[in-house]
Amino acid sequence: MAKARLESWVVSDAFWERVEPLIPQRPGRPTRRKFARKPGGGRKPKDARVVFEAIVYVLRTGCQWKALPRERFGSASAVHKRFLEWEKAGFFVALWQAGLAEYNEMEGIAWRWQSIDGALLKAPLAQESVGPNPTDRGKKWKQADVAGRRPWRPAVDHRDRG
């Protein structure tokens, strides 16, 4: 029997078993402060697997945080808040490192030879070789002076209203 194909953003059980140990623990409440409500009051935090699936969904589809399907993932702002917490705790770096280590064991990475390609800045000489932007052709670059008139200045430099 063939395996059921999952959507590209659904986290499989096997993958979740490898990711779950890397997820940082949520910080508890500070003990020095007094709170008006009882400990444990309020909404329970979102399940980490649902949050991780929502993050994968955003990465795979390229949608905005606010476009997350509410019926599947709940509040987009709560998911984004956890994403920021995990990013600050270094979860994504640890996940990347674990993925590289696992791939290195399976396939082997040629660590002695690696290359990277990318453009981080605009080409400094591109304007000279390309010319002006075609959308700017109709724009006035300098305000023309009105013929036969002096440049405008206020009649009085300072007015005392005192």
Side-chain angles (χ1 to χ4, degrees):
M1 182 176 218
K3 283 186 178 178
R5 189 162 187 268
L6 297 174
E7 295 286 339
S8 65
W9 49 269
V10 174
V11 176
S12 67
D13 293 334
F15 183 52
W16 179 245
E17 287 175 8
R18 296 192 309 258
V19 170
E20 189 176 23
L22 302 173
I23 295 201
Q25 296 298 316
R26 296 202 78 191
R29 287 185 167 183
T31 56
R32 292 178 285 138
R33 293 182 59 192
K34 292 188 177 192
F35 292 91
R37 61 185 164 147
K38 294 185 233 176
R43 284 198 180 144
K44 301 293 180 210
K46 289 202 166 303
D47 183 37
R49 183 170 181 164
V50 173
V51 173
F52 186 71
E53 266 191 8
I55 292 168
V56 172
Y57 182 88
V58 169
L59 292 173
R60 293 291 295 163
T61 62
C63 75
Q64 296 178 353
W65 288 106
K66 290 291 182 185
L68 277 171
R70 180 177 286 275
E71 60 278 357
R72 171 88 177 144
F73 302 116
S75 168
S77 58
V79 172
H80 186 250
K81 183 180 177 184
R82 286 285 285 281
F83 167 76
L84 293 176
E85 287 174 8
W86 290 357
E87 192 274 330
K88 189 176 180 182
F91 165 70
F92 297 104
V93 172
L95 184 64
W96 179 256
Q97 290 171 343
L100 281 177
E102 187 172 325
Y103 184 80
N104 190 29
E105 289 174 14
M106 290 176 10
E107 299 287 328
I109 298 175
W111 291 107
R112 294 174 74 59
W113 185 90
Q114 294 295 316
S115 67
I116 189 166
D117 185 18
L120 300 175
L121 304 170
K122 290 183 178 181
L125 303 176
Q127 187 66 31
E128 295 169 8
S129 63
V130 177
N133 187 340
T135 60
D136 293 339
R137 286 184 187 145
K139 292 184 179 175
K140 294 180 182 177
W141 292 102
K142 184 180 175 196
Q143 184 81 25
D145 292 331
V146 179
R149 289 191 164 185
R150 66 177 177 82
W152 183 87
R153 269 188 241 112
V156 180
D157 284 339
H158 177 72
R159 177 180 277 175
D160 186 14
R161 298 180 185 238

